[in-house]
Structures are given as structure tokens and as C-alpha cells.
Amino acid sequence: MKNTDWKKKGDAVFAGTYSRFPAAMVRGEGCRLRDADGREYLDFLAGIAVCSLGHCHPAVTEAICSQAKKLMHVSNLFYTEPQTELAELLTANSFADRVFMANSGAEANEAAIKLARIHSGKGRFEIISLSGSFHGRTLATVAATGQPKFHQGFEPMPAGFVHADFGDSEELEKLINPTTCAILCEPLQGESGVRPLTPEYLQKIRSLCDKYNLLLIFDEVQTGMGRTGSLFAYEQLGVTPDIMTLAKALGNGLPVGAMLTRSEIAASFTVGTHASTFGGNPVAAAAGVAVMKTMLADGFLEDVRERSAYFIQRLEEVAAKFPQLASGVRGSGMLLALVLTEKGIEHGTDIVQQLFERGCLINFAGMRVLRFIPPLTVSREDIDQLINELSEVLGEVG
């Protein structure tokens, strides 16, 4: 069947929660996708920062197929080899020594919220997050999300969440009260426009948590797993959280999430306080093990940083060439944005659509930047192709 056939069939059966491109993707390899009409696309979306090793990475594919032949699911009433190995890899390469396995970023954040509340004790339940943040689509994680547009139609929001203005540590401190138990933030906000939190700001948040005996939760669902050039973004910032959440790239396409913390905090989760039927499923966990081993291999993250520097340079060239449309570049690793001017913002959606028609996939994040989140394995040649197509589109728009 063709793209038009799949679109017609899908529109007849799906809830209308997505605005989809008119293409049905049928195959992927590396940084390339192919649709039902046989058209190829250069993918700088990576399933929204998920397929960080590229589509159908051989090591991940082999791990999935091998595990699927042995054991698909038994629930967390039993131990499994892949889940245990994945937890060992996560703790051995982070600040944490305990892991709770989930299926998604929202679920990992739900676990973090519940752990923060139960660990902090009776009467302490409120969590402060930041304006512009994004933490998930469940009711609790939507309430934690500091973007009112995601709240609309779902009010009243669950109680216990307040939002501090982005970058204002003094205002944040004023929100702390006897019911506060934690501060939740992304080291770099992805969905609201690739907005980095400075090391100084994060260090101030860490000091406030220490001063008021609060837990610091880092949502690294998008920034984790090599996306910013280190395995976890916190490693570059001189700030260590008490709890960290992961998902997206952890399974390179299979649904798996994780909440990481220290033993003394994890001890507040006892038998029956939290659970997930599918969390750490053997097949998803096997994919996660393959992802971790690939990213931890000598030179992998160094190569990401080197190609990131090249990508930033090329994007800066674009910004300099089209100052009427773009004002600069921000982000780190392979989570980058071309910041648009007011005129550029007017054309943001159209720029993305024109690039799609040219066979290049990006998105318009926060209605203010063009966001680029390609596989970490993207080549210089792929980057050059994207830059050439982007330049032609901006030349037509401008």
C-alpha cells in the first residue's frame, strides 16, 4: 500500500491526538528512513531523541531477536538476566546505586514523584518545577510540566506542583515552604525550545535543596544516554542529583524507562509501594544493555562531541548567512537548535514542512527554534546534506 492508503486507514481508526506527516514509514537504517512510497528521508528527529544509535542498529537488533527467542515476559515477581545486567550498567556508570525500571519517561517521572513524597514524609508533598519544563503526559507529570498549554482541558490539575520562573533562583527560593519535598528540572529543556540551564543556576538549585533538605530530581529523559555528549548531562554540570530519570534512547526504540537514586532514598520504596507490570521487560532490557555497551565503548562519546562541534559550526554559518531569520545556535551534543528571529518564527512550521518535502526531518520546538536531534551516529556528510537543504529552504523563505 501507498502512503495515501495508510493515511486513510489510520485516520479512520486513530484518536486525533497527533498531527502526522503524510508518510507511513516502513524501513529504517542508520540516519535514513524509507516510506511506503519508497521515498528516503534524512532523519534528524530520531523518533524524538529515541533512536540515538540510528534505526535498526545491528547490536540492538541482535539483542532483541536473541532475547525474544528465549524469554519475552515474566513480570517483576522474578529476576531476569537482561534487567539485572541493565541495572548494573546504569549504577556502575552513574551516581546511583538503585534502579526502578519503567516503560517510559512519564512513568519514570511518576516513580520519582512518588519516591520524593514517600521519602520526605507526611506533610511534605509539594514539588517545584520550572516554567517551560516538560515532564510527561500523565496527569501528575502534566501538572509538573511548566507549560500551561498542556494543562488546558484537563483541569483541575493534581495538587502539589508549583512552577518557578526559568532562571530565577531567588523566585524559586521564595516558593519553598514546609510542604516542599523536591525540585524537579531538566538540565536542558528540550520541548520548550532547547533551553540550557546554566551550571551556576543548577548549582544554586543544588544548594537550595541542601539548605532546605529537599531532593533534587533531574529529568534526563531527553538529555540522558549520550544526547548532550556525555552519558548523562549532569556529568558536565558539576551538579549531582538525588534522583534521575531516563527513557527515550535507553532502548533505542523499545519502550523502557528507569529511575535512578541512592540506596538511602530508594529504601523508602518498600514492597507494594510502587510497581510496573512491564517495567524492565526482558526484551526491552536486552535492548538497553546493547545500547549501554555501545555508548560506553572507547571513543563513542568522544566522537559524538567531535561531530557536535562540527554541527554547531555549520549551524552558526547558517545563522550568520540568514540573520533576518535566525539569531544563533544553542544546545549541546546532538540536542541543538537554530534560534529563530520573530520573522523566522512566523515561518517555523513552513520551514519544517518544506524540509520534509525535501526529505529531511526536523521539528519546530517551543514554537521558537528549529530543533535537531539526529542519531548520535550521524556523519559529517549527513550534517552537510541537512545544512545544504536547510540553507536552500531559508533562502526561499527569506
Side-chain angles (χ1 to χ4, degrees):
M1 289 195 298
K2 299 295 186 181
N3 284 332
T4 52
D5 299 318
W6 285 115
K7 182 180 185 305
K8 182 178 180 181
K9 288 168 70 71
D11 290 346
V13 294
F14 293 131
T17 55
Y18 292 97
S19 177
R20 301 176 191 257
F21 288 99
M25 298 303 178
V26 296
R27 295 188 65 84
E29 182 177 0
C31 293
R32 309 282 168 165
L33 285 169
R34 189 172 296 275
D35 69 17
D37 290 347
R39 188 180 184 196
E40 187 174 88
Y41 300 83
L42 180 60
D43 186 6
F44 273 62
L45 267 179
I48 314 180
V50 167
C51 298
S52 287
L53 297 181
H55 298 283
C56 299
H57 187 278
V60 179
T61 300
E62 170 60 28
I64 291 169
C65 293
S66 176
Q67 183 60 44
K69 293 176 182 177
K70 293 188 292 186
L71 182 67
M72 294 279 286
H73 178 73
V74 293
S75 89
N76 286 303
L77 296 177
F78 303 92
Y79 298 95
T80 65
E81 179 183 352
Q83 187 187 88
T84 305
E85 187 176 3
L86 178 56
E88 287 178 333
L89 285 166
L90 288 169
T91 56
N93 293 281
S94 73
F95 71 92
D97 41 34
R98 290 290 185 272
V99 179
F100 176 85
M101 303 301 302
N103 306 286
S104 67
E107 287 187 32
N109 283 333
E110 285 270 357
I113 290 165
K114 289 180 71 175
L115 179 58
R117 287 187 171 188
I118 197 170
H119 179 75
S120 299
K122 188 176 181 180
R124 299 185 66 198
F125 59 88
E126 192 169 83
I127 293 176
I128 301 171
S129 56
L130 306 180
S131 62
S133 62
F134 182 86
H135 299 294
R137 296 282 193 163
T138 64
L139 270 177
T141 56
V142 164
T145 292
Q147 299 188 62
K149 66 181 181 181
F150 292 112
H151 303 167
Q152 294 174 6
F154 303 109
E155 300 90 349
M157 286 288 102
F161 299 93
V162 294
H163 308 108
D165 289 339
F166 180 92
D168 189 341
S169 58
E170 292 184 3
E171 195 260 355
L172 191 156
E173 185 169 12
K174 291 177 183 177
L175 291 174
I176 297 172
N177 64 75
T179 70
T180 307
C181 69
I183 297 175
L184 167 64
C185 62
E186 303 151 274
L188 190 164
Q189 292 186 348
E191 298 303 318
S192 63
V194 188
R195 301 200 299 171
L197 279 63
T198 66
E200 295 76 18
Y201 181 43
L202 287 169
Q203 288 161 12
K204 179 61 177 178
I205 292 175
R206 175 73 269 180
S207 68
L208 289 174
C209 288
D210 296 338
K211 178 180 178 180
Y212 293 101
N213 191 29
L214 309 177
L215 295 175
L216 175 57
I217 306 170
F218 272 6
D219 177 342
E220 291 226 31
V221 169
Q222 186 163 149
T223 60
M225 301 307 300
R227 178 54 57 182
T228 63
S230 55
L231 191 61
F232 309 116
Y234 83 83
E235 298 174 89
Q236 304 175 44
L237 300 168
V239 178
T240 302
D242 300 301
I243 300 172
M244 177 174 69
T245 56
L246 303 170
K248 285 192 179 288
L250 183 57
N252 205 60
L254 263 65
V256 58
M259 182 205 68
L260 283 64
T261 190
R262 301 190 307 274
S263 294
E264 64 270 23
I265 299 171
S268 295
F269 263 178
T270 57
V271 174
T273 51
H274 196 49
S276 172
T277 298
F278 291 105
N281 167 275
V283 178
V289 169
V291 170
M292 287 288 293
K293 288 182 175 179
T294 301
M295 290 188 178
L296 290 169
D298 287 345
F300 180 88
L301 292 172
E302 183 180 354
D303 286 346
V304 172
R305 293 190 291 270
E306 186 274 330
R307 280 178 275 108
S308 170
Y310 179 71
F311 195 4
I312 291 170
Q313 173 193 327
R314 295 305 318 272
L315 286 173
E316 287 174 342
E317 292 171 4
V318 172
K321 186 177 180 181
F322 300 99
Q324 72 278 19
L325 297 173
S327 60
V329 180
R330 66 188 181 211
S332 61
M334 288 296 172
L335 176 50
L336 300 174
L338 185 67
V339 183
L340 300 179
T341 62
E342 289 302 316
K343 180 179 179 181
I345 288 171
E346 294 176 5
H347 297 280
T349 301
D350 184 49
I351 292 169
V352 172
Q353 179 62 33
Q354 288 192 45
L355 280 170
F356 166 76
E357 292 169 3
R358 289 170 172 265
C360 294
L361 308 180
I362 68 165
N363 78 333
F364 185 35
M367 303 303 288
R368 68 184 74 187
V369 306
L370 301 179
R371 180 172 59 166
F372 309 92
I373 39 178
L376 304 182
T377 54
V378 66
S379 68
R380 285 187 174 222
E381 291 74 21
D382 292 331
I383 292 169
D384 288 341
Q385 180 180 341
L386 183 281
I387 292 295
N388 291 339
E389 296 291 351
L390 176 62
S391 295
E392 290 194 17
V393 169
L394 294 182
E396 294 174 1
V397 169

